[in-house]
Amino acid sequence: MAEQTYSWAYSLVDSSQVSTFLISILLIVYGSFRSLNMDFENQDKEKDSSGSPGSFNGNSTNNSIQTIDSTQALFLPIGASVSLLVMFFFFDSVQVVFTICTAVLATIAFAFLLLPMCQYLTRPCSPQNKISFGCCGRFTAAELLSFSLSVMLVLIWVLTGHWLLMDALAMGLCVAMIAFVRLPSLKVSCLLLSGLLIYDVFWVFFSAYIFNSNVMVKVATQPADNPLDVLSRKLHLGPNVGRDVPRLSLPGKLVFPSSTGSHFSMLGIGDIVMPGLLLCFVLRYDNYKKQANSDSCGTPGPGNISGRMQKVSYFHCTLIGYFVGLLTATVASRIHRAAQPALLYLVPFTLLPLLTMAYLKGDLRRMWSEPFHSKSSSSRFLEV
C-alpha cells in the first residue's frame, strides 16, 4: 500500500517539479531579504548624512527602486497583454531586438545576483574604494568582478543555448525585480495580483478560442534566432561563420528536465516575481511592526488573539501559501495534462491567508493603505 501511494505521488510531482518548487521559493526568500537589506543600507546612508538616528521606512526613497501605485497596478495587466500580442503576431520581426534587450537586462540582473559573493571574495584582498571609468561612473572591484562574470555567462549562453545558463539568467532577473520593485500597500497588492490572475487565466484558457492557439504557451516556448547567426547572414560572413550556433530559448522562465529526460518542467518568472513582491511587502511590514512594538515596549495585540497567533509572521504565512498554491498548480497540470495558469492557484493561496491573518491580528486597516511611516527604532533584525 505504501509503495502504491508513493508511486501515485511521484506520478503527480516528479524531480523536475520539486526542483522548480525549491528554486522558486529560494529566489523569493533571497530577493525579499536583499530588498530589506537595501532598505537598511539606505537608512544607514540617511543617518550618516543627517547625523540623526535612522528609522525603518518600508517605502524607500532610493531612486533605483520603483514603487508601483494603484494606477500602474491596474494598467500593468493591460500592458502585459499588449506585449504578449506583439510577441505573438510580430515575433519574427522583433525577435532579434527582443533577444538583445533581454540579454542586456539579464547581464545587469545576474551581476546584481553575484554581487554579494564577489564582495565577500574581494574584501580580504582589495579596498572598497571605487574606480573611476569617466562618464561610465565609479565602481568597486566587487561590482566589476560581478559584471565581468555576468557578461561571460551571457556570452556562453549565446554560444551554447544551454538551459542551465538560461535558468541562471532567469534567476538573476527574478531576484533583481523582487529587490527593486516595491508594493506600497495591501490594496495595491490586491489590485495587481487580481488583475494578473485574470490576465493569466484569459491568455492560458481562453486565447485559443479567439486566436486558434494558446498565446501564452506559444510565446513562452518559442525559440528566437541567435543574434550571431543573424549577424553572420546580414554581413555575408560565409556559410561556416556563426551558422552553427543554436536558437535561443529566452530567460523568461525556469525550466528543469525530468529524471527521464522526456520533458521539461516550466515556470514563468512572472509566477515567481509577482507573488514574490507580495512576500517582500509582508517581510518589510513584519520588520516594521517588530520595530514599532519594540518602541512601545512590547505592547500586546488585540485581546482576542492568542499569543501563538501573534508570533506567526505574515511572511511565514504567505510563503506557506505560495508553496501550497504552487503544489496545487503542479498537480492540476499533471491531472489535466495541459498548461495551467499558475496565478489562478498562487493568488488565492497567498492573498486569502494573508487577509485573514491581518484581520484576526487587527492589522488589516493599517496594511490596506500606506502602512509604513517613520518611527525611530534601533532594532534592525527580523527572525525568520
Side-chain angles (χ1 to χ4, degrees):
M1 182 64 181
E3 292 180 357
Q4 292 178 352
T5 303
Y6 174 80
S7 177
W8 177 82
Y10 186 79
S11 67
L12 293 179
V13 181
D14 62 20
S15 59
S16 63
Q17 288 157 339
V18 171
S19 300
T20 305
F21 292 168
L22 295 177
I23 294 297
S24 61
I25 290 174
L26 286 175
L27 289 175
I28 288 176
V29 172
Y30 180 66
S32 298
F33 276 92
R34 284 291 297 272
S35 175
L36 190 65
N37 187 61
M38 289 167 63
D39 281 340
F40 289 145
E41 290 176 352
N42 293 332
Q43 176 185 334
D44 287 341
K45 290 178 182 178
E46 292 174 0
K47 182 174 64 175
D48 292 341
S49 61
S50 64
S52 61
S55 61
F56 179 79
N57 184 357
N59 294 332
S60 176
T61 58
N62 192 329
N63 293 330
S64 63
I65 293 173
Q66 174 64 43
T67 300
I68 298 177
D69 58 27
S70 299
T71 304
Q72 292 170 331
L74 286 172
F75 281 96
L76 196 148
I78 298 174
S81 298
V82 172
S83 301
L84 200 64
L85 285 175
V86 170
M87 294 296 294
F88 180 73
F89 286 112
F90 307 107
F91 185 78
D92 291 338
S93 302
V94 301
Q95 59 178 323
V96 175
V97 174
F98 190 75
T99 302
I100 293 174
C101 292
T102 303
V104 172
L105 291 175
T107 302
I108 299 171
F110 195 72
F112 174 76
L113 180 65
L114 292 177
L115 184 57
M117 180 191 72
C118 294
Q119 288 173 334
Y120 177 78
L121 293 175
T122 59
R123 186 178 295 117
C125 56
S126 83
Q128 295 302 310
N129 298 331
K130 291 189 175 184
I131 304 171
S132 176
F133 284 83
C135 60
C136 296
R138 298 170 60 84
F139 306 95
T140 63
E143 291 170 340
L144 294 174
L145 177 60
S146 65
F147 184 74
S148 301
L149 293 174
S150 182
V151 170
M152 187 183 306
L153 184 92
V154 171
L155 290 177
I156 297 174
W157 168 66
V158 171
L159 292 173
T160 64
H162 198 278
W163 65 268
L164 194 58
L165 300 177
M166 183 198 71
D167 278 0
L169 297 177
M171 292 176 196
L173 288 170
C174 287
V175 170
M177 283 190 279
I178 293 173
F180 284 101
V181 180
R182 300 290 172 83
L183 296 175
S185 65
L186 193 53
K187 179 180 71 174
V188 175
S189 303
C190 290
L191 286 174
L192 178 65
L193 292 175
S194 299
L196 289 172
L197 185 153
I198 297 171
Y199 156 86
D200 209 14
V201 169
F202 174 79
W203 289 111
V204 173
F205 282 156
F206 300 106
S207 61
Y209 297 104
I210 301 174
F211 303 99
N212 296 319
S213 177
N214 190 318
V215 175
M216 181 77 77
V217 173
K218 184 174 180 181
V219 171
T221 58
Q222 189 169 5
D225 288 341
N226 196 303
L228 296 179
D229 182 28
V230 175
L231 184 64
S232 67
R233 284 190 274 109
K234 293 290 185 181
L235 298 179
H236 306 288
L237 297 179
N240 297 323
V241 180
R243 299 297 179 86
D244 56 346
V245 291
R247 301 190 75 191
L248 297 175
S249 183
L250 300 180
K253 55 191 174 294
L254 291 178
V255 296
F256 290 94
S258 64
S259 56
T260 60
S262 59
H263 67 277
F264 279 80
S265 173
M266 183 176 68
L267 182 67
I269 63 173
D271 301 324
I272 300 173
V273 171
M274 296 307 162
L277 295 179
L278 177 65
L279 278 145
C280 181
F281 164 73
V282 297
L283 178 65
R284 289 184 289 119
Y285 184 79
D286 280 333
N287 187 77
Y288 162 79
K289 187 178 179 182
K290 182 178 180 181
Q291 292 191 14
N293 288 341
S294 66
D295 285 349
S296 59
C297 300
T299 301
N304 60 334
I305 303 300
S306 67
R308 181 171 299 179
M309 172 67 77
Q310 287 291 341
K311 291 180 180 179
V312 177
S313 70
Y314 292 112
F315 183 77
H316 287 139
C317 173
T318 312
L319 187 62
I320 293 171
Y322 177 81
F323 174 79
V324 175
L326 193 58
L327 180 63
T328 306
T330 302
V331 172
S333 68
R334 295 300 291 266
I335 291 175
H336 297 288
R337 299 186 181 279
Q340 296 289 308
L343 291 179
L344 175 62
Y345 307 93
L346 294 174
V347 171
F349 276 103
T350 52
L351 273 183
L352 293 181
L354 173 60
L355 291 170
T356 303
M357 178 173 284
Y359 175 77
L360 292 175
K361 286 187 172 185
D363 292 329
L364 184 57
R365 180 173 296 182
R366 180 188 298 176
M367 294 178 71
W368 186 253
S369 57
E370 303 299 333
F372 304 107
H373 56 85
S374 298
K375 278 184 176 287
S376 60
S377 173
S378 59
S379 173
R380 290 188 45 181
F381 300 97
L382 175 66
E383 296 179 1
V384 174

